Amino acid sequence: GMQQQIRSDLRCYFLLYIARYIQMVISVCLEPKRTDFVEMLLHHVVTVFVTIYSYWRGFSRVAVIIMLLLDPADVPLHLAKCCNYVSKASGVNTKKYWGCLADVLFAIF
C-alpha cells in the first residue's frame, strides 16, 4: 500500500510533535479561559488525533510536510494574540498601536 517505514529521525519528530500538542491541550485546559478556548482546544485535540493516526498508519511523508508548512503560521498568530491582549490592557496612548500591530499580524497569519 501507500504506507512507508518511518525513519528513526522522523519517528522522533512525530513523537516530539505529538508531545508538544498534548502539552498544549493540557495548557489550554489549565490556563484562564479565553474567548477562543473551544477553538484552541478543538484545534489541539484534532491535531493530536491526526498526527497519531498518520504515525500509526505510516503516512509520514505527507504528515511531515504538513507539519513543517503549518507550524510557522503559529508565530504570527501567537504574536497577534499577545498584541491583542496587550491592546486590551493598555492605556489610551498605546491601545491603538497594539491593536494595529495585532491586525497586521492577523493579516499575515
Side-chain angles (χ1 to χ4, degrees):
M2 293 293 294
Q3 297 179 3
Q4 334 81 56
Q5 186 69 22
I6 298 177
R7 296 184 344 218
S8 61
D9 58 338
L10 291 180
R11 181 178 292 115
C12 181
Y13 182 61
F14 264 92
L15 295 177
L16 289 171
Y17 196 88
I18 292 166
R20 176 175 156 237
Y21 272 91
I22 289 172
Q23 178 273 327
M24 289 181 187
V25 168
I26 294 167
S27 290
V28 166
C29 292
L30 294 178
E31 65 187 19
K33 304 299 182 257
R34 305 212 188 268
T35 56
D36 62 351
F37 169 77
V38 172
E39 293 85 354
M40 292 303 290
L41 183 62
L42 182 63
H43 163 71
H44 296 321
V45 168
V46 168
T47 301
V48 168
F49 173 76
V50 169
T51 308
I52 289 173
Y53 181 77
S54 64
Y55 175 80
W56 176 61
R57 297 291 296 161
F59 301 134
S60 61
R61 290 181 183 169
V62 173
V64 168
I65 290 170
I66 291 170
M67 290 186 282
L68 290 173
L69 288 175
L70 295 181
D71 267 358
D74 284 347
V75 175
L77 173 64
H78 290 293
L79 287 173
K81 288 175 69 173
C82 287
C83 290
N84 197 29
Y85 297 142
V86 170
S87 172
K88 290 179 180 179
S90 293
V92 176
N93 295 338
T94 58
K95 185 179 219 102
K96 187 175 181 179
Y97 168 77
W98 289 109
C100 182
L101 186 55
D103 290 343
V104 168
L105 289 166
F106 277 126
I108 292 170
F109 166 71

